């Protein structure tokens, strides 16, 4: 019962990424070298980043979706610590994990949201795609189309949007240059939590956990395979974190502790993702990946908060009531005074500081949190034509 109540509360919250650079990148793809790169571009380790996922990755796609149940981070106090101090669609006080991964790769932030560029602005879409990449991530999205259907952009549709983007790029730059460009780009994933929340809530239409995992892995594998067929080769995958330890679940547990059932549900999916990726590399020539273990990284933060600069790891910085978890982060919410000290910004999502630590860990941090190598080593892999 506690698990169902927690999932329902979470659902209420959830129902709440220079054309010159592009030309340079494609010139490099076609000629095997880069030309006339500006100083600010020298540190870019990949030509572009393409982002797929949920609210931990979304940078504003949901702001363009209609429907009162669509989860959006378009009001204060989201974005209060972003450079503009305004909401951007990120479920954070500032940047999210996708932003910090992009920063580590030499970009200013995550690539722009697809729906901010398309479909009418095809030229802007192509410019963004070839110079920085595009984010297709959508808050509330799942690996399954049925997860909170109609309230987000599910993974399969995110992949279709990518394919549409590449059709525009290929029409402009040709298939050979596009293929080489994509083989050097990074494909970043962070998705799966919402599917597990929906299952725990009894909203997935699936009655057995084994069936759930099989469906998730089938759809996840299909998405990666489709992207591979489109030219993608380098995949950075972030697995599902300890869902039972977010503030709203702790609140409804009755003890303030983590919900072991939800955590075990996450562990089960994470354990299934590992062999899925191994299998894909054996079948799809040239595919390489790095798997970031968000579950273990988050649990390490919980176990050693002071070592990571956290003063609070169980409550929301922006919210109301007990543990700041009795309501969403709203303009009339109570804010903690130490934004950097809280692991959670709202009652489900990590703070900017937490996202920064996660990204740093997966990019070039301790090796036991990534397999078979870290994100930095992944992007350094030389791809053959």
């Amino acid at each position: 019962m506690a698990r169902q109540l927690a999932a329902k509360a979470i659902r209420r919250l959830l129902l709440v990424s220079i054309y010159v650079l592009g030309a340079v990148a494609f010139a490099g793809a076609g000629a095997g070298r880069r030309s006339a790169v500006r100083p600010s571009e020298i540190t870019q380790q990949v030509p572009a980043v393409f982002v797929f996922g949920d609210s931990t990755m979304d940078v504003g796609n949901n702001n363009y979706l209609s429907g009162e149940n669509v989860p959006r981070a378009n009001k204060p106090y989201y974005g209060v610590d972003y450079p503009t101090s305004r909401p951007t669609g990120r479920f954070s006080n500032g940047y999210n994990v996708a932003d910090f991964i992009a920063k580590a790769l030499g970009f200013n932030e995550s690539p722009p949201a697809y729906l901010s560029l398309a479909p009418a602005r095809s030229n802007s879409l192509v410019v963004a795609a070839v110079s920085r990449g595009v984010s297709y991530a959508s808050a509330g999205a799942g690996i399954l189309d049925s997860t909170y259907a109609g309230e987000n952009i599910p993974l399969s549709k995110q992949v279709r949007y990518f394919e549409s983007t590449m059709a525009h790029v290929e029409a402009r730059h040709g298939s050979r240059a596009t293929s080489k460009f994509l083989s050097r780009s990074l494909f970043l994933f962070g998705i799966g939590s919402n599917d597990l929340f929906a299952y725990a809530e009894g909203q997935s239409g699936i009655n057995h956990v084994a069936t759930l995992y099989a469906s998730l892995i089938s759809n996840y594998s299909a998405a990666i395979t489709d992207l591979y067929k489109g030219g993608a080769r380098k995949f950075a995958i972030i697995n599902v974190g300890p869902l039972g330890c977010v503030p709203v679940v702790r609140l409804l547990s009755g003890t303030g502790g983590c919900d072991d059932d939800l955590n075990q549900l996450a562990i089960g999916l994470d354990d299934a993702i590992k062999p899925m990726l191994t299998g894909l590399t054996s079948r799809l020539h040239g595919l390489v990946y790095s798997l970031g273990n968000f579950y273990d990284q988050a649990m390490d933060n919980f176990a050693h908060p002071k070592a990571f600069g956290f003063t609070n790891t169980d409550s929301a910085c922006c919210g109301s009531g007990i543990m700041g978890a009795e309501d969403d982060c709203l303009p009339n919410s109570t804010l903690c005074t130490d934004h950097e000290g809280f692991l959670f910004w709202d009652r489900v999502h990590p703070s900017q500081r937490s996202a920064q630590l996660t990204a740093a860990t997966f990019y070039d941090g301790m090796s036991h949190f990534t397999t078979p190598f870290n994100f930095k080593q992944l992007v350094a892999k030389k791809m053959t034509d």
Side-chain angles (χ1 to χ4, degrees):
M1 179 61 71
R3 185 175 71 181
Q4 293 176 338
L5 290 174
K8 289 181 180 179
I10 291 166
R11 185 173 190 269
R12 288 198 298 270
L13 177 63
L14 291 173
L15 292 178
V16 195
S17 105
I18 340 167
Y19 189 74
V20 173
L21 177 56
V24 169
F26 273 87
R33 60 183 176 83
R34 299 186 68 162
S35 61
V37 181
R38 299 174 185 174
S40 62
E41 297 162 6
I42 293 175
T43 59
Q44 290 184 6
Q45 299 167 49
V46 293
V49 181
F50 295 95
V51 184
F52 302 82
D54 53 30
S55 55
T56 59
M57 299 285 180
D58 192 355
V59 292
N61 274 311
N62 278 26
N63 288 350
Y64 296 87
L65 298 180
S66 61
E68 61 178 303
N69 290 329
V70 172
R72 304 181 186 89
N74 60 352
K75 63 178 77 68
Y77 289 100
Y78 291 112
V80 66
D81 295 316
Y82 188 77
T84 62
S85 299
R86 298 175 63 86
T88 63
R90 294 165 171 83
F91 285 77
S92 169
N93 51 312
Y95 293 114
N96 64 22
V97 172
D99 288 306
F100 285 115
I101 295 295
K103 283 174 174 286
L105 296 171
F107 299 91
N108 291 329
E109 59 182 16
S110 167
Y114 171 79
L115 292 181
S116 71
L117 304 168
R121 301 167 59 192
S122 61
N123 185 63
S124 297
L125 177 62
V126 171
V127 170
V130 301
S131 62
R132 292 181 288 166
V134 179
S135 174
Y136 305 93
S138 171
I143 298 170
L144 303 179
D145 288 358
S146 59
T147 297
Y148 306 128
E151 300 165 5
N152 58 72
I153 308 169
L155 180 58
S156 65
K157 192 169 185 178
Q158 293 181 31
V159 172
R160 291 200 299 273
Y161 280 158
F162 165 79
E163 292 169 345
S164 175
T165 302
M166 287 306 108
H168 289 294
V169 171
E170 187 171 327
R172 183 75 59 84
H173 295 282
S175 60
R176 177 175 170 80
T178 300
S179 294
K180 291 189 175 183
F181 162 75
L182 290 175
S183 73
R184 291 162 171 80
S185 296
L186 182 69
F187 289 73
L188 176 63
F189 279 78
I191 197 165
S193 297
N194 292 311
D195 300 285
L196 302 186
F197 285 140
Y199 174 79
E201 184 187 353
Q203 295 293 321
S204 67
I206 298 174
N207 297 321
H208 301 287
V209 69
T211 304
L212 172 69
Y213 291 150
S215 297
L216 290 172
I217 293 303
S218 176
N219 282 35
Y220 211 161
S221 178
I224 293 175
T225 300
D226 286 346
L227 291 171
Y228 172 88
K229 290 177 179 177
R233 292 297 182 269
K234 298 182 179 182
F235 293 86
I237 311 292
I238 298 175
N239 73 9
V240 176
L243 307 183
C245 294
V246 301
V248 67
V249 176
R250 289 178 181 267
L251 172 67
L252 296 174
S253 71
T255 65
C258 298
D259 184 307
D260 291 338
D261 289 341
L262 277 173
N263 281 348
Q264 287 300 316
L265 197 61
I267 290 172
L269 177 57
D270 291 344
D271 286 345
I273 289 174
K274 296 176 187 177
M276 175 196 77
L277 293 171
T278 302
L280 286 171
T281 58
S282 67
R283 296 195 304 272
L284 305 177
H285 174 72
L287 184 150
V288 290
Y289 73 89
S290 175
L291 175 60
N293 192 333
F294 184 35
Y295 190 98
D296 284 357
Q297 188 263 336
M299 293 302 284
D300 197 37
N301 287 339
F302 293 139
H304 310 286
K306 291 183 179 179
F308 299 104
F310 292 120
T311 57
N312 187 297
T313 60
D314 61 8
S315 301
C317 179
C318 179
S320 62
I322 300 172
M323 305 177 76
E326 293 184 8
D327 206 347
D328 300 342
C329 178
L330 301 168
N332 62 347
S333 293
T334 300
L335 284 185
C336 68
T337 56
D338 182 14
H339 298 184
E340 296 287 296
F342 273 61
L343 191 150
F344 291 100
W345 178 245
D346 63 24
R347 58 181 181 170
V348 171
H349 300 98
S351 65
Q352 174 176 254
R353 171 62 178 159
S354 179
Q356 182 180 30
L357 288 173
T358 297
T361 299
F362 298 157
Y363 178 70
D364 64 354
M366 292 179 284
S367 61
H368 61 278
F369 290 123
T370 51
T371 186
F373 33 68
N374 61 38
F375 289 7
K376 183 177 182 180
Q377 293 167 320
L378 170 67
V379 300
K381 292 286 183 181
K382 301 296 183 183
M383 307 307 296
T384 58
D385 296 344

